[in-house]
Amino acid sequence: LQEKRLQLLAHEQSAATRARLSEFDAYEREAKEAEAADKRKLEEIADRVSTLADKFDKLKERSQREREREREKEKAKKRERERESEQEASDANAASKAEIKADQQAQVAAPTETDDTGESAAHSKQKRLRKAEAKEAKEGGA
């Protein structure tokens, strides 16, 4: 009888152990599945981060190209303004020279008058014109 009890007890303990082992295996499987799911989620997140980083880099490059284009446009505008300014100065210089030449020709054609110093008015005016021309050339060259 005692032997039967021992066998029955051993059988019950064996069944309990198997049940615990089975339960442990189930927990272990669940843990591995959870770990694999977490790993997949991390990989998905890493992929998203990589994609966003690529998009950011592309946007940054595009922005840089746009800024460079704007700088080039500004440089072109500046060169155009400088060219226009030089052209205006050149036109003004040519007009001034033409005016001086016309005044000189008018003086040559005008009758000679003398002022208090005894110089002819035409000669005095020509001196003034030469001074003005020299001053303008100095300003234009500077």
Side-chain angles (χ1 to χ4, degrees):
L1 193 62
Q2 178 109 5
E3 202 176 293
K4 263 283 200 213
R5 277 188 182 165
L6 285 176
Q7 282 178 348
L8 189 59
L9 186 62
H11 183 67
E12 284 176 9
Q13 285 179 345
S14 177
T17 303
R18 280 195 302 274
R20 284 188 192 138
L21 284 174
S22 178
E23 197 176 312
F24 177 76
D25 288 343
Y27 286 134
E28 198 172 44
R29 268 193 312 278
E30 286 177 19
K32 284 181 181 178
E33 288 171 2
E35 189 178 322
D38 288 348
K39 188 175 179 182
R40 281 191 304 274
K41 285 179 185 177
L42 286 174
E43 287 172 354
E44 288 173 9
I45 291 170
D47 287 345
R48 284 190 221 147
V49 167
S50 177
T51 301
L52 289 174
D54 290 344
K55 285 181 181 179
F56 175 77
D57 288 343
K58 287 177 185 176
L59 287 173
K60 192 169 140 185
E61 288 172 11
R62 184 185 319 156
S63 176
Q64 232 172 352
R65 285 191 303 269
E66 287 174 4
R67 280 194 304 271
E68 186 61 31
R69 274 195 294 270
E70 286 299 316
R71 279 194 291 269
E72 289 301 320
K73 284 181 186 177
E74 288 300 317
K75 285 180 185 177
K77 284 180 186 178
K78 185 178 178 184
R79 285 191 297 268
E80 181 63 22
R81 285 192 300 267
E82 287 173 353
R83 190 190 63 72
E84 288 173 358
S85 177
E86 288 173 3
Q87 186 62 42
E88 287 174 6
S90 175
D91 292 349
N93 192 18
S96 177
K97 284 183 181 179
E99 192 177 306
I100 290 171
K101 191 170 187 175
D103 283 350
Q104 287 174 345
Q105 288 174 349
Q107 288 301 319
V108 170
T112 307
E113 299 174 16
T114 58
D115 62 7
D116 331 353
T117 61
E119 286 185 334
S120 69
H123 185 69
S124 293
K125 190 165 186 179
Q126 207 151 17
K127 274 183 166 178
R128 286 193 307 273
L129 288 173
R130 276 193 230 117
K131 283 183 182 178
E133 238 179 11
K135 183 178 179 185
E136 194 175 302
K138 189 186 275 185
E139 289 174 359

